[in-house]
Amino acid sequence: MHGLILWTFEFFVRLTYGNQVWTGVLSKLDLSLNAVEPLFHYDDQVGLSILQQLAVDLNRDRQSLLEDFGTFLVTDTRVERVRRLLRFGGVDYTDFLHSLEDLKGRSLLAVPDLHLPNIQVDERQPHRFEITCENIPKGAPYVLLGVLRALADDFGSLVFLEVTAETADNVVITADLLECQHAEGREFLWATGGVS
Amino acid sequence: MNMERPIPFTCGVLDRVLPMHLMIDAKGIIQHAGPTIQKVFGDRDVVGRNVFGLLELKRPRNIKRIEDVRGIDTKRVRLKIRDEYETPLTGAVAFMPDLNCVLLNLSFGYSIAEAVARYELTGSDFAPTELAVEMLYLVEAKTAAMDIASQLAHRLHDEKEVAKNEAQTDGLTGLANRRALDLRFGRQLKRNVPFSLMHLDLDYFKSVNDTHGHAAGDAVLEAVADVLQQETREVDLVARVGGDEFVIVLDNLVCPARLEKIAARLIQRIEKPVVFRDIECGVSASIGVVLSTSYVHPDPLEMAEDADQALYASKRAGRAAFTVSR
C-alpha cells in the first residue's frame, strides 16, 4: 500500500476522531511505526490492521469507516486537492463517472508507484451505471462509494448509490442518476491554486 | 483522378472539434472564431478584426501580412495574445485553397494553468483530444507531490540538525565534544586564519568528586563550562574533551599578551567556589596555550601535543597557572 493512502487515512482519523484515537490504535497494534511517511510503501496488512483496530475502538463497522473516509476526501477542505483531482475528471456527474476508468492511469501519470484499483463503468440503461471496482486493497470499493456519494452533492446531482454485488475480487456499485442538476453544486475553479 | 475532393463543412463542426480555431480570409480578417477563442477575448470583438491586431506572431517573426502566411513552411507557429497578460499560444496553420482562407488552430501549451485562471475556462472549453485536462491534472498532482516532498525534506533536515547537534555536544555541560573539536580543527586549517589553542585542566577536581560525590563534581563542571562560555566569544569553540579537561579554539587571536590576560581571568573565575547543596566546592585550573603562528605548517595533532606540554609545564609550576608556548 502506498504511503500516500495510509498517510491520508491518518489525516482523516486525526482530524475526524482526534489524535488520541490514532496514537491509541498504533500503540495497541504495537507497530514499529510512529508516523506514516507519504513517500514510503507499507504492507497492505498494516493498513488492514489499523482499520480493524479503529473499528474496534470506535465500535463501528469497517465498511462505514471506509465510506466516511471517502466522503472526507471530497468534502474536507483540508484535503481539497483530492476533490480537485477527481473533479478534473468531468464537467458533470455522468462525465465524471465515465472518467473513473481513467483514474488509475491518471494517478500513475502523477505518482508512478501509486496503484489505485481498476474501475469499470457500464451504462446498463439510461441513467443507470454499474461501477465495478477491484477489491484491492480489500475495502477500497467502499472508499469509492463514499467518494461517489460526496461528489454527487459536489456536482449538485441527485444520485442513488448502493453496493449490488460483492465478491472477493470485485465490488459492484450501482448508481441511479435521478437528476443531473438537482441542486446548486459546490463551486469548482479549474485554475490551480497559486497561479494567476 | 482527383484524390482530394473538396469537403463541404460548416463552422459548427469545426467548433466542436477545434474550439480554439480561427478562420482568416485573404485580407487577414477573422471570419470565424471557435467558442473558446471568443471566451478568451471576452467582450472584445473577434470576428471582423484583423488577426494581427489580436495576436502577435512570435515565430516565424518575418510574417507581417496574411499573404505571407502561405509561405510559412513550418506547421507550428508561436504567438502571443495582445492583452494585459501576453499569454503565449502555440498554433497550427494551414492554407485552405478552395475557401481562399487560412485555418489557424490554437493551444495554450505550457501556459494552460495560467490561461485557465485568467480566462475562467473549464474542461468543456477544450477539445476532448487535447491534453488540457491531463495537463491541469498533472500540474495539480505535481504541486501536491512537491508539497509533500518539501515537507519531508524539511522534517529530515530538522531531524538531521538535531542529531548532528547531539552527536557534537557534551551531554552534561552542553559544550562541544571531541568530535566537534576535530571538525573545527579541519575547518580552521582550511580557512587559513591564525588561531590559538588553549588546553585547560581542572586542579583538585578529583578531591571534590571523592569528598562530595559525583553530583557535586557535575555541578562544578557545569559552572566551569559557564565561565568558559562567558569569557570567550561566539566565534571561539569551547569543548569538553575528557572528565575535567577542556580545549578552547580562539579564532583569529594570537596575541600572547591578550591570551595571558584571558587565561589569568579564566583561572581567577574558576577558583571562585561553587556552592552545591550548601557545600563550597573549590577547584582551580592549569592552562597551556599554543599559537598557530608558531608553526610553518600548523598541524592539529602537533599543536594539541604542544598545548598538552604547555599545560604540564603549568602543572609543574605549582598549578593554578598558565603557560603560553612561543
Side-chain angles (χ1 to χ4, degrees):
Chain A
M1 180 181 290
H2 199 285
L4 265 179
I5 298 175
L6 206 53
W7 184 69
T8 318
F9 189 73
E10 172 182 347
F11 208 52
F12 159 69
V13 174
R14 285 182 184 275
L15 292 179
T16 315
Y17 306 110
N19 289 324
Q20 292 100 324
V21 171
W22 177 259
T23 47
V25 165
L26 284 200
S27 57
K28 272 173 214 150
L29 290 174
D30 198 23
L31 297 170
S32 57
L33 186 74
N34 286 322
V36 177
E37 287 297 346
L39 301 179
F40 289 5
H41 283 264
Y42 297 90
D43 197 280
D44 278 4
Q45 195 51 51
V46 173
L48 291 175
S49 310
I50 289 174
L51 179 63
Q52 175 133 29
Q53 188 62 49
L54 185 68
V56 170
D57 289 3
L58 296 174
N59 197 20
R60 293 271 307 272
D61 69 276
R62 280 175 276 176
Q63 292 173 351
S64 75
L65 279 173
L66 289 175
E67 202 184 318
D68 283 358
F69 176 44
T71 307
F72 168 85
L73 292 177
V74 176
T75 54
D76 200 290
T77 48
R78 288 165 290 193
V79 287
E80 176 72 7
R81 279 200 195 279
V82 180
R83 172 195 172 241
R84 289 188 57 78
L85 290 173
L86 290 164
R87 288 268 326 228
F88 275 122
V91 286
D92 59 29
Y93 196 70
T94 313
D95 210 16
F96 157 73
L97 283 183
H98 287 297
S99 80
L100 288 173
E101 294 194 341
D102 299 330
L103 192 63
K104 188 188 172 95
R106 281 197 179 175
S107 54
L108 280 179
L109 205 58
V111 186
D113 55 352
L114 174 62
H115 294 277
L116 295 183
N118 271 313
I119 299 174
Q120 190 181 318
V121 181
D122 297 289
E123 193 164 3
R124 291 294 178 207
Q125 9 172 323
H127 311 304
R128 163 166 284 212
F129 299 86
E130 262 182 31
I131 301 137
T132 310
C133 179
E134 201 181 5
N135 203 1
I136 301 172
K138 204 170 170 344
Y142 286 90
V143 181
L144 178 65
L145 182 62
V147 165
L148 293 176
R149 289 222 162 103
L151 266 177
D153 286 342
D154 210 271
F155 278 103
S157 303
L158 189 61
V159 188
F160 181 72
L161 289 148
E162 63 174 344
V163 170
T164 45
E166 178 160 2
T167 66
D169 301 330
N170 288 299
V171 173
V172 178
I173 299 168
T174 303
D176 281 299
L177 185 59
L178 306 174
E179 234 178 301
C180 196
Q181 205 59 59
H182 170 69
E184 180 97 344
R186 224 171 110 197
E187 188 188 32
F188 179 66
L189 297 172
W190 283 73
T192 305
V195 298
S196 58
Chain B
M1 197 170 68
N2 187 3
M3 295 292 285
E4 269 188 60
R5 281 179 296 128
I7 307 165
F9 71 95
T10 60
C11 285
V13 170
L14 275 191
D15 285 353
R16 257 186 93 100
V17 183
L18 306 173
M20 286 188 63
H21 80 281
L22 289 169
M23 296 288 278
I24 307 154
D25 72 8
K27 294 192 176 96
I29 306 298
I30 296 167
Q31 294 299 324
H32 180 81
T36 305
I37 294 290
Q38 295 277 6
K39 203 167 172 179
V40 164
F41 284 97
D43 46 12
R44 289 165 73 187
D45 282 331
V46 178
V47 174
R49 295 273 310 271
N50 187 300
V51 66
F52 292 109
L54 293 176
L55 304 172
E56 182 187 344
L57 191 61
K58 302 294 289 180
R59 205 167 60 224
R61 286 184 212 281
N62 50 346
I63 308 287
K64 291 279 178 281
R65 294 170 311 159
I66 197 73
E67 294 93 299
D68 303 330
V69 171
R70 253 188 254 206
I72 296 180
D73 55 1
T74 172
K75 286 180 198 150
R76 175 195 289 256
V77 292
R78 303 288 300 166
L79 308 108
K80 232 187 211 179
I81 298 178
R82 291 193 197 271
D83 65 3
E84 55 180 308
Y85 308 112
E86 304 193 316
T87 307
L89 293 169
T90 300
V93 71
F95 180 66
M96 305 174 89
D98 296 309
L99 296 167
N100 196 27
C101 67
V102 169
L103 173 66
L104 174 64
N105 188 38
L106 298 168
S107 157
F108 287 112
Y110 60 79
S111 55
I112 180 87
E114 289 95 338
V116 159
R118 283 171 196 165
Y119 309 117
E120 295 179 12
L121 305 175
T122 71
S124 52
D125 289 319
F126 296 99
T129 48
E130 215 193 321
L131 293 173
V133 174
E134 279 74 11
M135 186 80 167
L136 291 175
Y137 186 92
L138 270 182
V139 170
E140 192 87 19
K142 180 222 65 177
T143 312
M146 287 291 284
D147 282 351
I148 292 169
S150 131
Q151 281 172 24
L152 179 65
H154 280 104
R155 200 168 63 241
L156 289 180
H157 176 78
D158 291 350
E159 285 171 8
K160 194 180 116 196
E161 283 300 304
V162 170
K164 201 168 97 185
N165 275 336
E166 276 173 9
Q168 294 182 19
T169 306
D170 170 49
L172 174 66
T173 59
L175 295 176
N177 62 15
R178 188 174 282 282
R179 190 197 309 267
L181 179 67
D182 288 343
L183 290 169
R184 173 63 182 250
F185 272 141
R187 284 214 309 279
Q188 199 78 41
L189 292 176
K190 263 190 211 140
R191 277 173 61 223
N192 205 17
V193 171
F195 66 99
S196 49
L197 203 62
M198 196 174 269
H199 195 168
L200 183 150
D201 188 276
L202 295 184
D203 300 320
Y204 320 115
F205 178 71
K206 193 172 177 294
S207 83
V208 171
N209 254 347
D210 292 347
T211 321
H212 307 301
H214 284 286
D218 286 353
V220 168
L221 290 172
E222 284 175 72
V224 169
D226 285 344
V227 169
L228 299 183
Q229 291 275 32
Q230 286 161 15
E231 294 299 327
T232 52
R233 303 158 302 171
E234 279 276 313
V235 291
D236 302 328
L237 180 90
V238 184
R240 179 175 172 225
V241 296
D244 58 349
E245 266 184 82
F246 300 85
V247 170
I248 305 171
V249 178
L250 294 140
D251 191 50
N252 204 10
L253 175 55
V254 283
C255 161
R258 273 189 69 195
L259 288 164
E260 281 169 6
K261 220 170 140 187
I262 293 170
R265 188 161 165 78
L266 285 177
I267 293 170
Q268 185 200 344
R269 283 198 60 187
I270 287 170
E271 282 179 346
K272 215 176 138 204
V274 176
V275 181
F276 177 76
R277 289 185 195 147
D278 299 330
I279 307 162
E280 281 201 354
C281 310
V283 292
S284 184
S286 299
I287 297 175
V289 186
V290 289
L291 287 55
S292 69
T293 43
S294 314
Y295 304 82
V296 182
H297 299 292
D299 169 69
L301 272 179
E302 196 185 348
M303 283 180 71
E305 251 169 53
D306 293 347
D308 210 40
Q309 290 292 324
L311 168 67
Y312 277 92
S314 305
K315 289 258 183 201
R316 278 195 303 275
R319 300 184 176 177
F322 57 83
T323 310
V324 177
S325 161
R326 300 179 199 216

